[in-house]
Amino acid sequence: MSLRPFHIAFPVDDLEAARHFYGTVLGCPEGRSSEQWIDFNLYGHQIVAHHKPKPATDDAHHNPVDGHDVPVPHFGVVLEKSQWKELAERVKAAQVSFIIEPYTRFEGQVGEQSTMFFLDPGGNALEFKAFEDLRQLFAK
C-alpha cells in the first residue's frame, strides 16, 4: 500500500513541551519552526504543533469502543507491529500516562489490532495501532 503523507495541525499551549515530547519521547525529527509553530515528521507524515493558549474549560469527549472510553478527537499512525511495540516501550520509559494501556482489541475478530492511547503535553489525544493483517484496516 503506497500512501501520500497526511498533514495535520493541532493546538498546544507550550511549544517547548511539545518539542520535547514529539522530538525526544516519540522520536519525531523536527522540520521548520517559528515562535508560533513546529513541524515534525511523524513516520513520514507532517504534523504541526501550533501555539494556542489553553482554554478555560475542558470539553473532553469519549466514545465507548471495546469496553474503553476512547477520547475524541484523536490522531496517530498505523504502524508495523515491531514499530508499535518499540513506541510503546519508549512511551512507558518516558513515564507518559496512558489513557488506554497498550493491548489488542477485537481479538479473533475482523479488524483485530493492537492499540494504545496517551496525551501529549497540550492534552491532544494520540492513538497508535498495528494490525496483524493490514488488509483488515478498513474491513467490516
Side-chain angles (χ1 to χ4, degrees), residues 1 18 24 26 28 34 58 63 73 77 81 92 108 124 129 133:
M1 182 184 301
T24 303
L26 298 188
C28 300
S34 79
D58 179 10
N63 283 334
V77 177
K81 191 68 170 242
K92 286 178 189 176
N124 297 294
K129 58 172 77 178
D133 180 356

Side-chain angles (χ1 to χ4, degrees), residues 7-19 22 32-40 46-52 75 120 124:
H7 163 83
I8 186 169
F10 56 94
V12 298
D13 63 341
D14 183 334
L15 282 174
E16 286 309 311
R19 176 174 273 126
Y22 286 95
R32 293 177 305 276
S33 66
S34 79
E35 291 184 14
Q36 297 298 313
W37 53 268
I38 306 168
D39 280 350
F40 295 100
Q46 183 190 45
I47 65 170
V48 186
H50 279 269
H51 182 258
K52 178 183 176 192
F75 69 92
D120 74 5
N124 297 294

Side-chain angles (χ1 to χ4, degrees), residues 11-95:
V12 298
D13 63 341
D14 183 334
L15 282 174
E16 286 309 311
R19 176 174 273 126
H20 172 76
F21 181 80
Y22 286 95
T24 303
V25 176
L26 298 188
C28 300
E30 185 175 323
R32 293 177 305 276
S33 66
S34 79
E35 291 184 14
Q36 297 298 313
W37 53 268
I38 306 168
D39 280 350
F40 295 100
N41 176 345
L42 179 68
Y43 297 95
H45 302 285
Q46 183 190 45
I47 65 170
V48 186
H50 279 269
H51 182 258
K52 178 183 176 192
K54 193 173 225 58
T57 61
D58 179 10
D59 295 319
H61 179 77
H62 296 82
N63 283 334
V65 178
D66 192 35
H68 294 276
D69 288 330
V70 170
V72 178
H74 65 265
F75 69 92
V77 177
V78 178
L79 303 172
E80 292 179 12
K81 191 68 170 242
S82 62
Q83 292 174 305
W84 183 86
K85 288 178 180 177
E86 178 186 316
L87 180 61
E89 291 305 315
R90 202 163 57 235
V91 170
K92 286 178 189 176
Q95 299 180 337

